[in-house]
mmCIF file of all heavy atoms in Angstrom:
data_model
loop_
_atom_site.group_PDB
_atom_site.id
_atom_site.type_symbol
_atom_site.label_atom_id
_atom_site.label_comp_id
_atom_site.label_asym_id
_atom_site.label_seq_id
_atom_site.Cartn_x
_atom_site.Cartn_y
_atom_site.Cartn_z
ATOM 1 N N ASP A 216 110.632 117.999 107.703
ATOM 2 C CA ASP A 216 111.998 118.509 107.756
ATOM 3 C C ASP A 216 112.957 117.373 107.395
ATOM 4 O O ASP A 216 113.180 116.449 108.198
ATOM 5 C CB ASP A 216 112.277 119.040 109.155
ATOM 6 C CG ASP A 216 113.677 119.658 109.298
ATOM 7 O OD1 ASP A 216 114.471 119.530 108.346
ATOM 8 O OD2 ASP A 216 113.971 120.251 110.346
ATOM 9 N N TYR A 217 113.512 117.457 106.208
ATOM 10 C CA TYR A 217 114.341 116.368 105.719
ATOM 11 C C TYR A 217 115.779 116.407 106.247
ATOM 12 O O TYR A 217 116.635 115.595 105.845
ATOM 13 C CB TYR A 217 114.336 116.324 104.192
ATOM 14 C CG TYR A 217 113.095 115.689 103.648
ATOM 15 C CD1 TYR A 217 111.994 116.465 103.270
ATOM 16 C CD2 TYR A 217 112.986 114.305 103.551
ATOM 17 C CE1 TYR A 217 110.835 115.846 102.769
ATOM 18 C CE2 TYR A 217 111.837 113.700 103.086
ATOM 19 C CZ TYR A 217 110.754 114.455 102.686
ATOM 20 O OH TYR A 217 109.622 113.879 102.231
ATOM 21 N N SER A 218 116.058 117.261 107.170
ATOM 22 C CA SER A 218 117.409 117.302 107.775
ATOM 23 C C SER A 218 117.519 116.262 108.911
ATOM 24 O O SER A 218 118.608 115.958 109.378
ATOM 25 C CB SER A 218 117.755 118.677 108.279
ATOM 26 O OG SER A 218 116.956 119.015 109.406
ATOM 27 N N ILE A 219 116.384 115.745 109.374
ATOM 28 C CA ILE A 219 116.348 114.747 110.451
ATOM 29 C C ILE A 219 115.125 113.870 110.243
ATOM 30 O O ILE A 219 114.108 114.343 109.704
ATOM 31 C CB ILE A 219 116.324 115.452 111.831
ATOM 32 C CG1 ILE A 219 116.701 114.472 112.968
ATOM 33 C CG2 ILE A 219 114.977 116.093 112.087
ATOM 34 C CD1 ILE A 219 118.182 114.271 113.154
ATOM 35 N N VAL A 220 115.221 112.622 110.660
ATOM 36 C CA VAL A 220 114.080 111.716 110.513
ATOM 37 C C VAL A 220 113.134 111.821 111.699
ATOM 38 O O VAL A 220 113.567 111.711 112.836
ATOM 39 C CB VAL A 220 114.557 110.240 110.355
ATOM 40 C CG1 VAL A 220 113.371 109.324 110.310
ATOM 41 C CG2 VAL A 220 115.423 110.087 109.129
ATOM 42 N N ASN A 221 111.864 112.078 111.411
ATOM 43 C CA ASN A 221 110.821 112.021 112.425
ATOM 44 C C ASN A 221 110.048 110.731 112.159
ATOM 45 O O ASN A 221 109.289 110.653 111.205
ATOM 46 C CB ASN A 221 109.899 113.212 112.342
ATOM 47 C CG ASN A 221 108.770 113.169 113.381
ATOM 48 O OD1 ASN A 221 108.551 112.121 114.034
ATOM 49 N ND2 ASN A 221 108.074 114.259 113.532
ATOM 50 N N PRO A 222 110.256 109.669 112.965
ATOM 51 C CA PRO A 222 109.604 108.400 112.672
ATOM 52 C C PRO A 222 108.089 108.512 112.529
ATOM 53 O O PRO A 222 107.468 107.736 111.832
ATOM 54 C CB PRO A 222 109.973 107.502 113.898
ATOM 55 C CG PRO A 222 111.287 108.078 114.340
ATOM 56 C CD PRO A 222 111.179 109.587 114.136
ATOM 57 N N GLY A 223 107.485 109.482 113.246
ATOM 58 C CA GLY A 223 106.027 109.645 113.154
ATOM 59 C C GLY A 223 105.562 110.055 111.777
ATOM 60 O O GLY A 223 104.370 109.919 111.475
ATOM 61 N N LYS A 224 106.462 110.552 110.946
ATOM 62 C CA LYS A 224 106.121 110.960 109.569
ATOM 63 C C LYS A 224 106.421 109.856 108.527
ATOM 64 O O LYS A 224 106.225 110.057 107.333
ATOM 65 C CB LYS A 224 106.895 112.238 109.214
ATOM 66 C CG LYS A 224 106.593 113.412 110.121
ATOM 67 C CD LYS A 224 105.183 113.936 109.961
ATOM 68 C CE LYS A 224 104.888 115.127 110.894
ATOM 69 N NZ LYS A 224 105.623 116.350 110.492
ATOM 70 N N LEU A 225 106.945 108.750 109.010
ATOM 71 C CA LEU A 225 107.303 107.650 108.094
ATOM 72 C C LEU A 225 106.066 106.799 107.809
ATOM 73 O O LEU A 225 105.081 106.804 108.543
ATOM 74 C CB LEU A 225 108.406 106.768 108.711
ATOM 75 C CG LEU A 225 109.739 107.444 108.975
ATOM 76 C CD1 LEU A 225 110.672 106.435 109.697
ATOM 77 C CD2 LEU A 225 110.397 107.913 107.664
ATOM 78 N N SER A 226 106.184 106.003 106.741
ATOM 79 C CA SER A 226 105.124 105.030 106.439
ATOM 80 C C SER A 226 105.081 103.983 107.577
ATOM 81 O O SER A 226 106.045 103.844 108.348
ATOM 82 C CB SER A 226 105.422 104.338 105.115
ATOM 83 O OG SER A 226 106.585 103.527 105.211
ATOM 84 N N LYS A 227 104.019 103.232 107.603
ATOM 85 C CA LYS A 227 103.841 102.202 108.613
ATOM 86 C C LYS A 227 105.015 101.225 108.614
ATOM 87 O O LYS A 227 105.598 100.903 109.648
ATOM 88 C CB LYS A 227 102.521 101.460 108.365
ATOM 89 C CG LYS A 227 102.260 100.301 109.312
ATOM 90 C CD LYS A 227 100.923 99.625 109.019
ATOM 91 C CE LYS A 227 100.670 98.455 109.942
ATOM 92 N NZ LYS A 227 99.344 97.846 109.711
ATOM 93 N N GLU A 228 105.388 100.743 107.423
ATOM 94 C CA GLU A 228 106.440 99.771 107.296
ATOM 95 C C GLU A 228 107.777 100.338 107.787
ATOM 96 O O GLU A 228 108.566 99.649 108.488
ATOM 97 C CB GLU A 228 106.571 99.285 105.862
ATOM 98 C CG GLU A 228 107.613 98.193 105.671
ATOM 99 C CD GLU A 228 107.695 97.726 104.226
ATOM 100 O OE1 GLU A 228 106.952 98.246 103.384
ATOM 101 O OE2 GLU A 228 108.534 96.850 103.967
ATOM 102 N N LEU A 229 108.070 101.600 107.401
ATOM 103 C CA LEU A 229 109.356 102.190 107.781
ATOM 104 C C LEU A 229 109.398 102.555 109.261
ATOM 105 O O LEU A 229 110.438 102.477 109.881
ATOM 106 C CB LEU A 229 109.644 103.392 106.906
ATOM 107 C CG LEU A 229 109.918 103.096 105.430
ATOM 108 C CD1 LEU A 229 110.073 104.373 104.626
ATOM 109 C CD2 LEU A 229 111.205 102.243 105.285
ATOM 110 N N GLN A 230 108.243 102.921 109.821
ATOM 111 C CA GLN A 230 108.180 103.116 111.268
ATOM 112 C C GLN A 230 108.545 101.839 111.989
ATOM 113 O O GLN A 230 109.356 101.828 112.951
ATOM 114 C CB GLN A 230 106.775 103.542 111.690
ATOM 115 C CG GLN A 230 106.509 105.010 111.742
ATOM 116 C CD GLN A 230 105.218 105.303 112.462
ATOM 117 O OE1 GLN A 230 104.950 104.792 113.561
ATOM 118 N NE2 GLN A 230 104.409 106.179 111.886
ATOM 119 N N MET A 231 107.988 100.746 111.533
ATOM 120 C CA MET A 231 108.228 99.447 112.185
ATOM 121 C C MET A 231 109.693 99.021 112.046
ATOM 122 O O MET A 231 110.241 98.364 112.901
ATOM 123 C CB MET A 231 107.285 98.382 111.620
ATOM 124 C CG MET A 231 105.808 98.612 111.993
ATOM 125 S SD MET A 231 105.502 98.708 113.772
ATOM 126 C CE MET A 231 105.801 97.019 114.242
ATOM 127 N N SER A 232 110.336 99.414 110.937
ATOM 128 C CA SER A 232 111.764 99.087 110.777
ATOM 129 C C SER A 232 112.577 99.749 111.876
ATOM 130 O O SER A 232 113.541 99.136 112.401
ATOM 131 C CB SER A 232 112.266 99.570 109.410
ATOM 132 O OG SER A 232 112.033 98.628 108.423
ATOM 133 N N VAL A 233 112.220 100.975 112.256
ATOM 134 C CA VAL A 233 112.929 101.656 113.337
ATOM 135 C C VAL A 233 112.813 100.860 114.629
ATOM 136 O O VAL A 233 113.795 100.611 115.329
ATOM 137 C CB VAL A 233 112.404 103.105 113.536
ATOM 138 C CG1 VAL A 233 113.056 103.755 114.747
ATOM 139 C CG2 VAL A 233 112.614 103.926 112.295
#
Side-chain angles (χ1 to χ4, degrees):
D216 181 351
Y217 281 95
S218 69
I219 196 81
V220 175
N221 179 349
K224 301 291 180 70
L225 297 175
S226 67
K227 177 179 179 177
E228 184 180 0
L229 291 174
Q230 269 193 47
M231 293 302 290
S232 275
V233 175

